[in-house]
Amino acid sequence: MKKYIIGSLSFFLFFTYLGMFFGDLGGVGGYDGVAPKWLYEKVMLDPSYEFIFKISAIGSISSLALALISLVVFGVLIACAIYKGLVRRVKNS
């Protein structure tokens, strides 16, 4: 159970960071300093990188949605672990 909890928390952190990185490049919420400044300026100012801009905006929203899903899974796993611990304590007493 512990490895699933740690795994879901790791997925949450990974997808959150990925969403913030793509959000910087895709212009979602402005520049937050997650993506390198030179890459941000290149994508935002050069019209030939419009494809990367659009893909980054979609990637940001998708990554943050996956982060929310993994956060829900993390919460469910924590609730199951707490429930298992409580059931085990009641049986032992």
Side-chain angles (χ1 to χ4, degrees), residues 33-49:
V34 178
K37 185 74 171 173
W38 62 269
L39 185 60
Y40 170 76
E41 289 173 351
K42 187 179 250 188
V43 169
M44 294 302 277
L45 299 177
D46 193 350
S48 64
Y49 289 100

Side-chain angles (χ1 to χ4, degrees), residues 46-61:
D46 193 350
S48 64
Y49 289 100
E50 184 179 351
F51 177 72
I52 294 175
F53 177 78
K54 289 181 181 179
I55 292 296
S56 295
I58 293 169
S60 171
I61 295 168

Side-chain angles (χ1 to χ4, degrees), residues 23-86:
D24 271 356
L25 294 182
V28 179
Y31 182 71
D32 300 322
V34 178
K37 185 74 171 173
W38 62 269
L39 185 60
Y40 170 76
E41 289 173 351
K42 187 179 250 188
V43 169
M44 294 302 277
L45 299 177
D46 193 350
S48 64
Y49 289 100
E50 184 179 351
F51 177 72
I52 294 175
F53 177 78
K54 289 181 181 179
I55 292 296
S56 295
I58 293 169
S60 171
I61 295 168
S62 302
S63 296
L64 292 175
L66 287 172
L68 285 175
I69 291 170
S70 63
L71 183 62
V72 169
V73 169
F74 174 72
V76 168
L77 289 173
I78 288 290
C80 288
I82 291 171
Y83 179 74
K84 269 177 112 173
L86 290 175

